[in-house]
């Protein structure tokens, strides 16, 4: 690998290079596809969680950039030798951590098309197909989810592809903030209050900070085991009443279907009823679990969505579409446009001024935007609704399989009820011969168990702490995962549990 200071080539000879030479693109593109195909063929050979130490890569790469060009062959060799060891393999069939980032051929190729066209689709005029395909695909997906017509373009609502849930929440929170401030005066921003539960994703708090909400006015309403860690409407209303008595202004509620720690589900309809009584914007965050609601047997988890103002899910989690691709639907697109639009002279055009088109720049934070809809369109078309449903069902089935293995072994307990394709478990206190009151030792043992399994490289899982209980999260959803991988993971759990319990005793 070269570095600055190697002047063997004359600078003027570099001008002969064409960065978009079609034949060279063809040759190198084939090499990249072959490289990735081999990667997926061999992915089970790699330790799932990267085993490198912090700062490993700086020790391996030159201190300066190369002065002269290097061949794709050399670069790919360095990817294999230097980059791959530092990758945690999210697409491994033995990946059960966080939430899935499921991939697919259609998703990869759609991303390739999007990158290849490399359009910047900030408004309709900048690439009409980018805008129109996005609006069509978002209506397709909305109908697959049986969203009410008020969230579709045909019902004066509409959908947009954001990068992540963080962006979706920030955009809707900003829209609700401006709506409220237009009523009560912009000087009263310090009175606005945002509500979620103590299980809501941290994106909500971050969005509130960015939107200028006083940090003291962020409410993470406590949940408990009796409500399976869902947000209680009674607790929400009590928090609202307290804020009203203090002269504050309730603004925004984020309810969740499939929380990060436990996949808990907030009771959407009753929460919306409370929120609407006080004029609160309700956003429904179904980042992980929303995709599975295309299956009729899971659709009930978003019953009540018709009462919400906005709804989002991440197609890049559990819908076989590559990062980033967050689907956001809103009932009132004009609220986004009023809060987020700018209209500089250099973007003026007849289509926009005639109000004949959507300019998605006004539905998001940034001006520039990628042609994300291509990959979602390709995923839906390539697999069809029937197959997509069955892929999702297979993951739930495998999670049930793992849950059954845990239940059959009295050394373990399933800490919270399994709802989708994630199982939260731990070594039970009884397996250690101690009382339930000594949670510290139980938590420490389970933390050791998790780290021991992850260091082995055979599996990767992550943890959560809810109600003071440390639990191991086993999330099924990687595209390549089969029942044999779940069985192998169970053997890893048993082996490492045996070792740790023996050392404890």
């Amino acid at each position: 690998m070269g570095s600055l200071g190697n002047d063997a080539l004359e600078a003027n000879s570099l001008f002969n290079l064409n960065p978009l030479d079609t034949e060279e693109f063809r040759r190198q593109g084939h090499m990249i596809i072959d490289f990735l195909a081999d990667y997926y063929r061999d992915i089970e050979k790699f330790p799932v969680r990267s085993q490198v130490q912090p700062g490993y890569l700086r020790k391996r790469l030159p201190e300066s950039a190369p002065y002269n060009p290097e061949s794709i062959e050399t670069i790919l060799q360095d990817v294999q030798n230097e980059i791959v060891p530092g990758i945690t393999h999210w697409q491994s069939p033995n990946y059960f951590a966080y939430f899935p980032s499921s991939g697919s051929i259609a998703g990869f190729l759609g991303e390739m098309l999007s990158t290849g066209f490399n359009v910047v689709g900030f408004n309709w005029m900048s690439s009409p197909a980018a805008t129109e395909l996005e609006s069509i695909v978002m209506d397709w997906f909305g109908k697959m989810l049986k969203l009410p017509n008020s969230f579709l373009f045909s019902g004066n609502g509409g959908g947009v592809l954001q990068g992540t849930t963080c962006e979706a929440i920030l955009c809707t929170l900003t829209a609700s903030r401006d709506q409220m401030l237009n009523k009560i005066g912009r000087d009263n921003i310090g009175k606005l209050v945002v509500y979620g539960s103590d299980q809501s994703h941290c994106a909500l708090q971050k969005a509130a900070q960015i939107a200028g909400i006083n940090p003291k006015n962020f409410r993470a309403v406590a949940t408990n085991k009796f409500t399976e860690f869902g947000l209680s409407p009674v607790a929400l209303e009590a928090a609202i009443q307290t804020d009203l008595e203090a002269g504050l202004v309730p603004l925004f509620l984020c309810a969740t279907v499939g929380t990060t720690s436990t996949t808990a589900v907030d009771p959407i309809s009753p929460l919306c009823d409370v929120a609407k009584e006080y004029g609160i914007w309700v956003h429904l965050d179904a980042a992980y679990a929303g995709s599975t609601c295309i299956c009729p047997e899971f659709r009930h988890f978003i019953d009540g969505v018709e009462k919400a103002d906005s709804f989002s899910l991440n197609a890049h989690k559990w819908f076989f579409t590559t990062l980033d691709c967050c689907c956001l639907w809103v009932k009132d697109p004009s609220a986004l446009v009023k809060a987020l639009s700018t209209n500089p002279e250099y973007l003026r055009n007849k289509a926009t001024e005639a109000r004949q088109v959507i300019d998605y720049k006004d539905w998001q934070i940034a001006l520039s935007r990628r042609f994300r809809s291509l990959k979602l369109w390709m995923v839906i078309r390539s697999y069809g609704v029937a197959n997509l449903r069955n892929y999702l069902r297979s993951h739930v089935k495998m999670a049930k399989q793992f849950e059954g293995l845990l239940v059959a072994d009295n050394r373990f307990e399933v800490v919270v009820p399994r709802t989708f394709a994630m199982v939260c478990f731990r070594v039970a206190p009884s397996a250690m011969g101690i009382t339930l009151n000594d949670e510290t030792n139980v938590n420490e043992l389970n933390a050791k168990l998790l780290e021991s399994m992850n260091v082995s490289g055979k599996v990767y899982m992550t943890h959560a702490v809810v109600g003071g209980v440390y639990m191991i999260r086993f999330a099924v959803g990687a595209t390549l995962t089969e029942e044999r991988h779940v069985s192998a993971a169970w053997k890893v759990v048993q082996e490492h549990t045996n070792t740790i319990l023996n050392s404890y005793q």
Side-chain angles (χ1 to χ4, degrees):
M1 188 180 295
S3 62
L4 287 172
N6 180 5
D7 299 342
L9 286 176
E10 292 295 329
N12 58 9
S13 68
L14 302 183
F15 290 117
N16 295 325
L17 294 176
N18 177 359
L20 272 178
D21 178 82
T22 55
E23 291 309 310
E24 189 60 20
F25 178 43
R26 192 186 313 278
R27 184 184 77 86
Q28 294 190 27
H30 281 228
M31 292 181 67
I32 294 291
I33 293 294
D34 287 343
F35 180 90
L36 289 173
D38 289 345
Y39 168 75
Y40 280 102
R41 181 195 63 198
D42 300 333
I43 196 167
E44 291 188 58
K45 298 178 182 178
F46 303 117
V48 189
R49 190 184 75 175
S50 174
Q51 305 293 306
V52 302
Q53 297 300 311
Y56 92 99
L57 193 56
R58 188 168 292 279
K59 298 174 182 176
R60 298 191 184 194
L61 298 186
E63 294 183 0
S64 303
Y67 182 78
N68 295 314
E70 296 180 326
S71 69
I72 188 64
E73 290 84 358
T74 299
I75 296 169
L76 280 178
Q77 190 62 54
D78 284 338
V79 171
Q80 184 67 58
N81 296 339
E82 318 298 353
I83 303 301
V84 170
I87 291 176
T88 289
H89 302 281
W90 285 65
Q91 304 307 315
S92 169
N94 298 307
Y95 180 96
F96 304 103
Y98 302 110
F99 280 137
S101 179
S102 56
S104 65
I105 295 171
F108 298 152
L109 296 182
E111 187 72 62
M112 186 184 298
L113 278 175
S114 175
T115 302
F117 289 137
N118 200 27
V119 301
V120 185
F122 41 75
N123 61 12
W124 179 88
M125 186 65 72
S126 65
S127 272
T131 294
E132 297 196 14
L133 183 62
E134 186 162 334
S135 63
I136 291 168
V137 169
M138 289 302 291
D139 268 3
W140 279 11
F141 203 172
K143 291 175 183 177
M144 291 163 62
L145 291 161
K146 297 190 183 302
L147 293 184
N149 196 50
S150 55
F151 279 110
L152 307 181
F153 285 100
S154 56
N156 297 318
V160 57
L161 291 175
Q162 304 281 353
T164 65
T165 295
C166 302
E167 296 168 46
I169 294 176
L170 177 56
C171 288
T172 52
L173 177 54
T174 302
S176 66
R177 178 201 67 188
D178 280 16
Q179 276 189 341
M180 184 61 73
L181 292 180
N182 286 338
K183 296 177 183 177
I184 66 174
R186 292 198 165 266
D187 291 342
N188 289 307
I189 189 171
K191 296 181 178 181
L192 302 180
V193 186
V194 170
Y195 302 88
S197 83
D198 57 3
Q199 302 302 306
S200 297
H201 195 277
C202 60
L204 176 61
Q205 186 173 7
K206 187 172 186 176
Q209 292 173 198
I210 295 171
I213 305 300
N214 187 329
K216 295 179 180 179
N217 292 350
F218 177 80
R219 304 284 178 261
V221 181
T223 60
N224 56 61
K225 190 174 182 178
F226 300 105
T227 61
E228 297 182 354
F229 300 103
L231 175 58
S232 161
V234 174
L236 172 65
E237 185 155 25
I240 292 170
Q241 286 289 353
T242 299
D243 288 329
L244 288 172
E245 290 170 6
L248 300 176
V249 179
L251 173 70
F252 187 91
L253 166 67
C254 181
T256 308
V257 174
T259 60
T260 300
S261 294
T262 67
T263 69
V265 177
D266 291 337
I268 300 167
S269 186
L271 288 172
C272 286
D273 289 342
V274 171
K276 290 308 166 187
E277 186 176 342
Y278 299 97
I280 296 172
W281 179 300
V282 179
H283 177 75
L284 179 56
D285 169 19
Y288 159 67
S291 296
T292 199
C293 293
I294 67 169
C295 302
E297 65 269 32
F298 294 112
R299 173 57 176 77
H300 67 93
F301 286 112
I302 59 170
D303 284 354
V305 64
E306 67 277 2
K307 300 179 182 179
D309 297 282
S310 51
F311 171 76
S312 65
L313 64 82
N314 286 346
H316 60 246
K317 276 191 169 68
W318 203 10
F319 204 72
F320 313 99
T321 307
T322 55
L323 187 72
D324 52 6
C325 191
C326 173
C327 304
L328 168 66
W329 290 268
V330 292
K331 282 183 176 175
D332 182 10
S334 70
L336 289 179
V337 173
K338 290 173 183 175
L340 302 171
S341 66
T342 54
N343 295 292
E345 179 64 30
Y346 51 79
L347 294 184
R348 290 187 61 185
N349 63 85
K350 291 181 179 179
T352 296
E353 292 176 4
R355 298 186 178 180
Q356 297 175 321
V357 297
I358 301 163
D359 287 341
Y360 273 126
K361 70 178 178 63
D362 300 328
W363 294 45
Q364 63 173 29
I365 299 165
L367 171 65
S368 299
R369 62 195 327 272
R370 302 171 59 234
F371 198 167
R372 291 190 186 98
S373 57
L374 267 176
K375 57 188 176 184
L376 184 56
W377 184 58
M378 286 191 67
V379 165
I380 295 172
R381 291 191 63 190
S382 295
Y383 307 119
V385 177
N387 277 326
L388 289 167
R389 286 173 174 168
N390 287 332
Y391 294 147
L392 296 166
R393 287 168 176 150
S394 72
H395 294 153
V396 176
K397 180 182 177 182
M398 286 185 275
K400 287 182 179 178
Q401 173 192 346
F402 187 79
E403 181 184 35
L405 295 168
L406 286 166
V407 170
D409 188 331
N410 60 14
R411 296 176 302 169
F412 300 94
E413 64 178 1
V414 176
V415 183
V416 295
R418 181 201 52 77
T419 306
F420 301 102
M422 188 178 81
V423 184
C424 296
F425 72 99
R426 68 171 180 169
V427 176
S430 58
M432 301 171 62
I434 64 175
T435 66
L436 283 171
N437 294 327
D438 194 1
E439 287 289 358
T440 300
N441 285 340
V442 182
N443 287 350
E444 289 177 355
L445 181 144
N446 280 282
K448 289 179 181 177
L449 171 60
L450 177 61
E451 183 59 16
S452 174
M453 292 189 294
N454 288 341
V455 167
S456 76
K458 295 179 181 178
V459 295
Y460 185 32
M461 304 177 207
T462 48
H463 79 284
V465 177
V466 178
V469 175
Y470 184 104
M471 62 187 76
I472 299 171
R473 301 165 69 261
F474 183 84
V476 182
T479 308
L480 295 172
T481 300
E482 300 172 3
E483 289 187 8
R484 64 185 177 90
H485 298 107
V486 173
S487 298
W490 172 239
K491 290 180 181 178
V492 172
V493 172
Q494 288 180 304
E495 291 168 3
H496 287 262
T497 299
N498 290 339
T499 300
I500 286 181
L501 286 178
N502 288 337
S503 66
Y504 176 80
Q505 295 167 354

